[in-house]
Amino acid sequence: FAMVSDRKKLTKDLLQVRAIIEPPIAALAAQCATDQDVEELKAILEQMEHAIRRKKDYSGLDVEFHTKIAECTHNVVMENLIPVIGRGVAVFAKEVEKTEYRQTLISHRKIFEYIRDHKPVEAQMEMQFHLLYNSNRYQNEPVSE
């Protein structure tokens, strides 16, 4: 991704790919997550919520959160997709003009709760909403000169 010079296109394309792959990953995580996975995901979420409430940079924790969701699937192929997911989160965080704290807090909490409660349909829908929200927000940002 570092070789791509058009950062706006890269960010849009990564959001598009994430919207395709991450919602079903969230559903599979809700089906397969162990109690240990849920505890680890909760710890990451709580650290991220702490940073968000203080309006601090939470992008590294955001990458950890989405990475942990992928790990919760216990799918060996997922190991190859995790770097793409993590990089997608990181690129978006760097390229987005204005950090969104409130909706990020709400969406991540709901995604976690649906995974914790083993509700795959709801986890998938919430992840889809989260990614579409970010995609729309990014596309509606003013073009910088």
Side-chain angles (χ1 to χ4, degrees):
F1 297 137
M3 306 292 275
V4 178
S5 60
D6 186 344
R7 304 307 286 177
K8 187 100 174 155
K9 176 153 178 45
L10 173 63
T11 303
K12 286 180 180 179
D13 288 353
L14 281 167
L15 281 166
Q16 186 177 56
V17 169
R18 289 181 63 206
I20 292 167
I21 64 172
E22 284 194 73
I25 289 171
L28 188 57
Q31 292 172 322
C32 300
T34 64
D35 290 344
Q36 179 66 35
D37 290 328
V38 170
E39 287 304 312
E40 291 172 11
L41 190 61
K42 181 180 180 184
I44 296 165
L45 175 65
E46 288 174 348
Q47 290 176 51
M48 188 167 48
E49 288 175 338
H50 183 76
I52 289 171
R53 285 192 184 98
R54 283 158 181 69
K55 301 225 184 313
K56 301 287 185 189
D57 178 20
Y58 62 87
S59 58
L61 291 164
D62 199 5
V63 171
E64 281 186 55
F65 184 78
H66 286 267
T67 298
K68 183 60 190 175
I69 291 171
E71 290 171 356
C72 287
T73 67
H74 297 277
N75 181 308
V76 294
V77 176
M78 199 61 64
E79 291 175 19
N80 293 303
L81 296 178
I82 287 172
V84 174
I85 293 166
R87 190 66 184 135
V89 174
V91 166
F92 177 77
K94 186 177 180 191
E95 294 299 316
V96 72
E97 192 76 22
K98 184 174 183 261
T99 302
E100 171 61 63
Y101 295 101
R102 183 179 167 280
Q103 190 58 49
T104 299
L105 197 67
I106 293 167
S107 292
H108 283 81
R109 174 53 67 173
K110 284 183 181 178
I111 292 165
F112 164 75
E113 288 171 354
Y114 291 138
I115 291 171
R116 177 198 65 201
D117 298 343
H118 302 288
K119 294 184 173 182
V121 172
E122 293 86 347
Q124 181 167 343
M125 288 174 46
E126 191 60 39
M127 182 66 81
Q128 188 76 46
F129 171 79
H130 172 59
L131 294 168
L132 290 175
Y133 177 86
N134 282 334
S135 181
N136 287 333
R137 188 167 68 87
Y138 184 69
Q139 290 180 25
N140 291 327
E141 282 188 348
V143 178
S144 54
E145 306 268 335

